[in-house]
Amino acid sequence: MSNTLTLNGAVCTFTPGETILDVARRNHVDIPTLCHLKDTVPTGACRMCLVEVKGARALVASCAAPAGPGMEIETESQRVVRSRKMNLELLLASGSHDCLLCPASGDCTLQALAFRYGAGGTRFARRRPAHAPDASNPFLIRDFSKCILCGRCVQACKEVQVNGAIDYGYRGAATKIVTRNDLPLGQSDCVFCGECLQVCPVGAIALADARKKPRQCDMTAVRSTCAYCGVGCQVDLHVRDNVVHMVTGADAAPNHGSLCVKGRFGYEFIRSPERLTAPLVRRDGELVPATWEEALDVVAERLGQVKAQHGADAVGVLTSARCTNEENYLIQKFARAVVGTNNVDHCARL
Amino acid sequence: MDDVANADVVLITGSNITENHPVLSAALKRAVRHGRPDGHRARLIVADPRKVGISRHATIWMRPTPGTDVAWINGMAHVILRENLHDAAYVAERTEGLEALRDSVASFTPEYVAAVTGIPAEQVEAAARLYASGRALIYYCMGMTQHVSGTDNVKALANLAMLCGNIGRVGGGLNPLRGQNNVQGACDMGGLPDKLPGYRNAADASARQSVENAWGTVLPDTPGMTSRAMFHAMETGAMRALYLVGENPMVSHANLAHAEACFDALEFLVVQDIFLTETAMRADVVLPSACFAEKDGTFTNTERRVQRVRKAVEAPGEARADWEIILDLANRMAAGWRYDAPEDVMREIARVTPSYAGITYARLEQEGLHWPCPDAGHGGTPILHAEGFLRGRGLFHAVDFVPPAELPDAEYPFILTTGRVLYQYHTGTMTRKSRGLAAREGACFVEMAREDARDLGVADGGMVRVASRRGEIVVAVRVSPKAMPGTVFIPFHFAEAAANRLTSDAADPVAGISEFKVCAVRIAPATADSE
Ligand code: SF4
Ligand code: SF4
Ligand code: SF4
């Protein structure tokens, strides 16, 4: 019976090496966190995961503290709740947390925790922002006035994407998440994978054009697969009113939440005004719009003619590495079974 | 992909992985820099003429002259055999042809390799020892296959992997990195002239018979043409009509002038695409299709994981999904097909393709499945050949070094290689229409070493005329520490300065992949009056 502890009175087992937070999450006990990031080294920066362990003098950071035999842990004791609320009040006073104008509203951990613990953000005087926002690039805005210095972005950049483009800089009240030499992101080592955007628990990192889009909480997520490279990252396409407004990495294999710049930001082509919207048929040397009936009739007739006059092998079909499996299957079946030729290949090796 | 964390050593070659497969490169960098929770870390060998981003994380970075890969790979095999570093038990139990390999690599001494590739002899030895020091995984990409010797390069790598017992093992393997999202699936589905769905041989009567039974038709028994052969047949008049889906060879084809002539000779060209591409402009009929966000289906990633694609929005105007278009066309040509949705097609794929037999949309709902997945109870196969090779034993192939078809000379003194950049994709039809990406990397450039720029008398950002025996383009110079002196790099995404005006269409005799990676060019400052 050595590897057991009690969590809010309930007996739980643990495996050595697990933290108190791990044990709690496994047992569906919700200990709030702001800075904790899966698969990275815990920093204990946010103090939100503090819990009361019987016999310990101070509250314990559950994200870093190993579970121990016989521990008696309270995750929502009066002392814990008071500490969390105080912490939240301090965080809310640390910057411009105006939820009305924040793109992260509805999708912000600080906002959710303030609600949960009744922190109104009025207890302390609000600090003036120490740093101007960085909007130096077409992808991301960094609004330091909302940054709670949880460090998740730094860990994501350093430990998950291993880009090391950002870190803590300056000291004390001037502390800021900086690139090397505090250059704007657009002139730094940043490769715009957007991992930092995805892990920021508040609205301190936002899409450059976030104000022109619905908020994430007002959109529907559709799980799909990135259409760029062969890694095949799992994505959520965030949709509203028939428009994909945003793409995030899904927490599933193979990418476990990560994306690259193409997968995350390369979706505008979907809505490009240059998209083809009607079939075109060449008439008197010009490509002119036609109906599907007309266009497909022309194709069927001309392919039929070539086949009749020159044989099926005078027709070639090039399928596409961009199409789905189902489409590739039908296209090669079309070549073989309908046209009657093995002249089918894809362009990947051209 | 998660398996990279289990490797002791990773060899990566011909792949600018941080720009072309960024999320996989993150997993690789994690494996090297941070390792597994138990402290295990991988060590990295990079072989690439360019100082690609990943080389920063390498224990050994070898810089071969472009087109000399077989030499250093054979050299590593030479050292491994000479020093008895190979996995003798594995070789004895699971492979054959070791003696032939031994003979074929005998002449590839580190000194000979150094002379051919420019890699110092000691570095080849060190790389061989490191590779053989533990479970080793190889990643390779187009930098390996886009050569006249492309098939040989891959065979030589396979020799290396088998020699050290790395095929079919956790943390081992020989992994191609597919450039486009569904190259794997297109091949699996029989989008190849000689292969029916599931890689069954189109020339094999019994394989055809089984597909004929499923489809209720008779299949052609004449051999089909590769895309390359099709272009030649277009030029000679043997091919009269082409149906082209979702590709833009008028930018991506090696030796564009030739591609143009081929298209001009066609009687009838149909292009099905989401944009009016350079190729579509030449078509007789253009059919507007839906993009990935507008349809249901599956893609198969580079590690054979079959994953769902889901419709999120409606296609614009009258654009339709490719499967609907081809279905309509087939039925107009009296095919009598009946599919109500992509899921119906997947049911047929599972019936016709043994390696996909156990795959259904219901099973893909939460996560993808790796084929082979032979039945509904099978959990998929993340690691191939774990139980042994398909053909019984793994066969070593003797491969000899063949120099690139076109080498630099007095008239064309530079080697040109082509490839991709992080912010763009393929011929740019999608990425160039996303403003952020276009803003980051909006125009073509030629990357060259500082000393070459100095010798040419050009500065960073200056315009130069790059010419090969096939054509010329004008581009801006980007002086970069990535470039190897004497070798320049041009990305191929940009139609207005298409790198493929310059490239050679000399091809690998087996795979038919053109030699995009090596051709000879000359470079001169572009003066205003020569424009
Ligand atoms: S976008 Fe990626 S590279 Fe840039 S700072 Fe964020 S995590 Fe780092
Ligand atoms: S930017 Fe966001 S993730 Fe980074 S430290 Fe500030 S609040 Fe945390
Ligand atoms: S997000 Fe990037 S790495 Fe992932 S599949 Fe898309 S292009 Fe490839």
Side-chain angles (χ1 to χ4, degrees):
Chain A
M1 265 346 266
S2 55
N3 287 341
T4 60
L5 48 72
T6 62
L7 254 184
N8 301 336
V11 179
C12 303
T13 55
F14 66 91
T15 27
E18 276 189 301
T19 62
I20 296 174
L21 182 65
D22 292 334
V23 180
R25 294 227 161 134
R26 218 168 16 79
N27 288 285
H28 310 288
V29 171
D30 180 14
I31 301 178
T33 59
L34 281 166
C35 72
H36 181 262
L37 185 62
K38 186 168 69 89
D39 296 330
T40 62
V41 183
T43 58
C46 77
R47 317 304 291 163
M48 201 49 60
C49 70
L50 295 183
V51 294
E52 191 163 353
V53 179
K54 195 171 170 193
R57 217 157 30 86
L59 297 179
V60 169
S62 63
C63 69
M71 278 183 164
E72 291 175 39
I73 301 158
E74 289 294 328
T75 67
E76 299 283 333
S77 71
Q78 226 183 20
R79 206 173 144 210
V80 168
V81 168
R82 219 179 318 123
S83 147
R84 284 192 191 141
K85 185 169 174 183
M86 170 69 104
N87 229 320
L88 288 164
E89 291 287 0
L90 286 167
L91 288 175
L92 289 169
S94 72
S96 324
H97 295 287
D98 305 303
C99 301
L100 286 179
L101 293 177
C102 181
S105 179
D107 187 47
C108 170
T109 315
L110 181 62
Q111 188 188 47
L113 291 178
F115 181 76
R116 173 165 157 188
Y117 290 102
T122 49
R123 185 149 153 204
F124 303 105
R126 187 187 275 192
R127 244 193 299 143
R128 284 172 49 87
H131 304 285
D134 171 13
S136 60
N137 66 82
F139 304 110
L140 300 172
I141 288 181
R142 298 192 299 158
D143 180 351
F144 302 100
S145 75
K146 293 184 190 302
C147 175
I148 57 170
L149 298 172
C150 69
R152 278 167 69 100
C153 56
V154 173
Q155 285 189 299
C157 191
K158 202 182 282 185
E159 294 183 43
V160 180
Q161 289 273 355
V162 203
N163 289 327
I166 48 177
D167 209 337
Y168 283 98
Y170 306 102
R171 276 158 188 250
T175 304
K176 177 189 180 190
I177 305 297
V178 294
T179 62
R180 196 174 336 139
N181 300 328
D182 197 11
L183 288 170
L185 207 55
Q187 293 163 36
S188 74
D189 296 333
C190 170
V191 293
F192 297 103
C193 64
E195 191 87 18
C196 55
L197 165 73
Q198 188 157 327
V199 301
C200 181
V202 295
I205 307 178
L207 287 177
D209 47 358
R211 286 275 177 78
K212 300 199 189 103
K213 298 169 185 282
R215 286 169 169 157
Q216 189 175 335
C217 62
D218 293 327
M219 296 190 276
T220 313
V222 179
R223 176 68 52 89
S224 194
T225 302
C226 176
Y228 284 108
C229 86
V231 175
C233 291
Q234 294 300 287
V235 294
D236 283 321
L237 306 176
H238 297 270
V239 179
R240 172 142 172 191
D241 299 332
N242 202 39
V243 175
V244 176
H245 289 284
M246 178 178 182
V247 179
T248 54
D251 190 8
N255 50 313
H256 307 290
S258 296
L259 293 178
C260 78
V261 66
K262 288 186 285 285
R264 193 179 299 276
F265 297 108
Y267 56 83
E268 274 181 26
F269 78 89
I270 298 172
R271 219 158 63 100
S272 162
E274 290 171 49
R275 284 285 301 273
L276 286 166
T277 54
L280 305 174
V281 173
R282 193 171 294 280
R283 295 217 167 90
D284 305 322
E286 292 288 311
L287 280 172
V288 294
T291 65
W292 275 106
E293 294 289 304
E294 289 165 346
L296 289 176
D297 278 344
V298 173
V299 177
E301 191 189 313
R302 299 283 301 273
L303 290 182
Q305 275 168 6
V306 170
K307 183 176 161 179
Q309 284 168 16
H310 306 283
D313 286 339
V315 178
V317 176
L318 283 175
T319 177
S320 171
R322 312 271 180 84
C323 290
T324 62
N325 290 327
E326 291 77 0
E327 290 165 342
N328 273 291
Y329 177 84
L330 289 185
I331 291 165
Q332 62 86 35
K333 184 175 178 180
F334 173 77
R336 294 190 157 107
V338 181
V339 179
T341 178
N342 279 312
N343 291 341
V344 55
D345 200 356
H346 58 279
C347 278
R349 51 182 172 178
L350 274 181
Chain B
M1 205 165 103
D2 296 333
D3 196 33
V4 58
N6 299 318
D8 298 312
V9 184
V10 178
L11 166 62
I12 174 153
T13 178
S15 165
N16 183 5
I17 189 170
T18 51
E19 299 202 29
N20 296 340
H21 299 91
V23 170
L24 175 56
S25 85
L28 176 60
K29 288 186 282 182
R30 282 198 298 275
V32 173
R33 294 293 280 263
H34 305 303
R36 280 191 318 224
D38 65 3
H40 173 275
R41 281 198 210 177
R43 282 188 293 168
L44 181 63
I45 306 171
V46 174
D48 204 300
R50 292 177 74 213
K51 190 174 181 184
V52 286
I54 197 70
S55 62
R56 238 175 353 118
H57 304 271
T59 302
I60 297 178
W61 168 45
M62 299 188 280
R63 193 168 213 186
T65 302
T68 63
D69 298 299
V70 164
W72 64 260
I73 303 167
N74 276 358
M76 282 175 66
H78 175 101
V79 174
I80 288 169
L81 284 167
R82 186 182 73 193
E83 302 185 2
N84 264 318
L85 303 174
H86 58 290
D87 183 339
Y90 178 97
V91 168
E93 197 182 311
R94 297 177 59 168
T95 69
E96 57 187 274
L98 179 67
E99 289 317 308
L101 176 70
R102 205 186 278 280
D103 291 346
S104 71
V105 301
S107 59
F108 287 82
T109 61
E111 294 68 33
Y112 169 72
V113 172
V116 172
T117 65
I119 304 170
E122 317 76 72
Q123 215 185 20
V124 177
E125 288 175 336
R129 289 178 195 134
L130 180 55
Y131 179 80
S133 69
R135 194 53 65 225
L137 191 157
I138 299 176
Y139 287 119
Y140 67 92
C141 192
M142 261 92 78
M144 277 285 111
T145 52
Q146 289 179 350
H147 286 288
V148 283
S149 55
T151 305
D152 285 349
N153 288 347
V154 176
K155 281 186 186 157
L157 286 174
N159 289 340
L160 200 58
M162 284 196 299
L163 203 52
C164 294
N166 282 326
I167 306 272
R169 296 273 178 84
V170 169
L174 173 64
N175 300 292
L177 297 178
R178 310 292 187 179
Q180 296 184 64
N181 58 320
N182 203 29
V183 174
Q184 183 69 52
C187 296
D188 298 348
M189 292 300 107
L192 294 167
D194 54 342
K195 297 284 188 271
L196 299 169
Y199 300 95
R200 280 161 307 161
N201 212 324
D204 170 3
S206 71
R208 280 204 310 275
Q209 182 70 54
S210 88
V211 176
E212 282 171 346
N213 292 345
W215 290 354
T217 46
V218 180
L219 290 183
D221 55 3
T222 42
M225 291 185 235
T226 63
S227 52
R228 209 183 138 71
M230 288 187 210
F231 276 87
H232 282 285
M234 280 151 65
E235 205 179 17
T236 61
M239 179 160 290
R240 305 289 178 119
L242 184 70
Y243 194 101
L244 175 71
V245 184
E247 264 297 344
N248 191 10
M250 280 308 303
V251 175
S252 63
H253 190 80
N255 189 355
L256 279 184
H258 175 241
E260 254 161 35
C262 298
F263 280 114
D264 286 346
L266 270 180
E267 240 171 77
F268 185 59
L269 173 65
V270 187
V271 173
Q272 186 167 311
D273 208 314
I274 63 176
F275 290 111
L276 192 63
T277 60
E278 289 74 14
T279 311
M281 286 177 202
R282 292 176 176 260
D284 298 287
V285 177
V286 180
L287 302 174
S289 56
C291 79
F292 82 107
E294 296 152 356
K295 63 193 180 187
D296 285 306
T298 55
F299 290 149
T300 303
N301 84 347
T302 192
E303 40 177 8
R304 291 170 289 101
R305 191 195 290 267
V306 185
Q307 312 190 104
R308 275 300 312 276
V309 175
R310 290 185 184 83
K311 180 171 177 171
V313 291
E314 296 297 329
E318 291 175 44
R320 301 172 69 194
D322 293 297
W323 69 270
E324 294 176 284
I325 301 173
I326 206 80
L327 171 63
D328 244 25
L329 178 62
N331 284 338
R332 220 162 275 254
M333 295 173 75
W337 288 358
R338 172 84 204 266
Y339 306 99
D340 292 329
E343 192 167 6
D344 287 347
V345 184
M346 184 47 90
R347 285 194 198 98
E348 181 174 319
I349 292 170
R351 271 204 311 282
V352 174
T353 315
S355 51
Y356 278 67
I359 294 181
T360 61
Y361 277 19
R363 294 189 70 193
L364 298 180
E365 193 52 35
Q366 298 301 327
E367 271 216 317
L369 276 170
H370 294 86
W371 68 259
C373 178
D375 57 65
H378 193 283
T381 313
I383 295 182
L384 269 187
H385 310 302
E387 321 272 290
F389 292 98
L390 292 178
R391 56 174 295 280
R393 281 163 168 261
L395 184 64
F396 287 109
H397 290 274
V399 278
D400 208 357
F401 168 59
V402 183
E406 188 176 273
L407 288 168
D409 53 24
E411 202 184 344
Y412 295 94
F414 288 93
I415 299 179
L416 166 71
T417 77
T418 63
R420 301 162 192 249
V421 296
L422 173 63
Y423 297 97
Q424 295 291 344
Y425 174 76
H426 216 61
T427 66
T429 51
M430 286 147 68
T431 42
R432 297 189 76 188
K433 292 184 181 72
S434 293
R435 276 168 293 155
L437 299 175
R440 288 295 291 185
E441 195 80 275
C444 196
F445 60 87
V446 55
E447 173 191 281
M448 65 173 74
R450 186 163 300 284
E451 40 275 58
D452 287 340
R454 194 188 49 221
D455 292 349
L456 288 166
V458 292
D460 193 52
M463 300 304 284
V464 289
R465 184 176 299 279
V466 183
S468 76
R469 292 189 171 79
R470 290 153 295 275
E472 65 172 46
I473 60 175
V474 174
V475 282
V477 169
R478 179 177 295 179
V479 174
S480 166
K482 278 187 192 150
M484 180 179 196
T487 298
V488 299
F489 167 85
I490 302 180
F492 73 93
H493 313 286
F494 303 95
E496 65 280 7
N500 285 322
R501 294 239 158 255
L502 310 172
T503 49
S504 157
D505 53 357
D508 176 319
V510 181
I513 302 179
S514 298
E515 188 155 45
F516 291 94
K517 293 296 172 190
V518 182
C519 77
V521 295
R522 66 166 175 246
I523 304 174
T527 48
D529 57 53
S530 67
E531 293 276 303

